[in-house]
Amino acid sequence: MEFRQIATLAGKEFWDRIRNRWVLAVALVFTVFALVIAYFGGAQQGTVGFRSIEFTIASLVSLVIYLVPLIALVLGFDAIVGERERGSLDLLLSMPITRFELLLGKYLGLAAALAFSTIAGFGLVAVVLASQLNLAALFHFFGFMLSSVLLGLAFLSLAVMVSTFAADRTRASGLAIALWFFFVLVFDLLLLGALVVSGGKYGGELFPYLLLLNPADVFRILNIFSLDDVRTLYGLATVFPRALAEPWLLGLVMAAWITAPLGIAAWRFRK
């Protein structure tokens, strides 16, 4: 495996996103939404202004779960199938580069663009709020930023996997949107519906483990469980065992969500 070729292809993907203002647009979206939530999230309760890092992160978690997966899926759904439709895939493969190197280079470039836009967008928020945060609060916020990047990378892996299976961009985009609906909107409803229908008799003990099958839920637990006041408010202490909520363990689960779809994509693309 030639790392120089992978780095060259990744750099091209990254700078393509920089030149078409994609990174800037996404970073601004994150910054604007995060600042609005930080300062006006309590307007319904009659309070305006920054309240606490716990309240801010808890509010931002919902925003990230809806926004970051969608952006990641839109970014990566045509990574391979788009090249095939444009006729440039055969040209790329005619060069001294393997299919795996091509796939990995494109993924790393897109991942760098997504990570940069996420960190830049939320990083600007940290700069604005820095005077109102202590070191512990900054630590929690940077942890939130890192977990947001991991969530984006997990859904980017799913998007690249879809791109290797789909026959054309139209089908790839449809599958990407279907994945967003399933993991963000449908998955939790199915779990809750099963618990309600069974009266809690079936699946109650499996419920915490089933949540790990959704990267969006792993992200939510990773952030909410680290904040004592918010954890109690959400009722996670009685639903999710503390032994499963260790940051290193949830980080490994998120790493699996990043690598597994990418491995499937590599297997499919080699055929």
Side-chain angles (χ1 to χ4, degrees), residues 187 191 195 200-213 239-241 244:
F187 185 88
L191 289 186
L195 286 175
K201 295 180 180 180
Y202 305 103
E205 295 181 356
L206 291 176
F207 187 78
Y209 298 94
L210 294 175
L211 290 177
L212 299 181
L213 299 178
V239 176
F240 204 86
L244 286 179

Side-chain angles (χ1 to χ4, degrees), residues 59-112:
S59 301
L60 288 176
V61 162
S62 299
L63 169 70
V64 168
I65 285 176
Y66 280 96
L67 200 56
V68 169
L70 182 61
I71 291 173
L73 290 167
V74 170
L75 176 64
F77 80 90
D78 66 342
I80 299 300
V81 71
E83 297 283 3
R84 185 182 294 119
E85 282 197 352
R86 289 189 293 269
S88 55
L89 182 60
D90 291 335
L91 177 62
L92 288 171
L93 292 175
S94 68
M95 298 178 180
I97 185 173
T98 66
R99 286 176 173 263
F100 179 72
E101 290 169 350
L102 173 61
L103 180 72
L104 186 58
K106 291 185 72 66
Y107 175 81
L108 291 178
L110 296 174

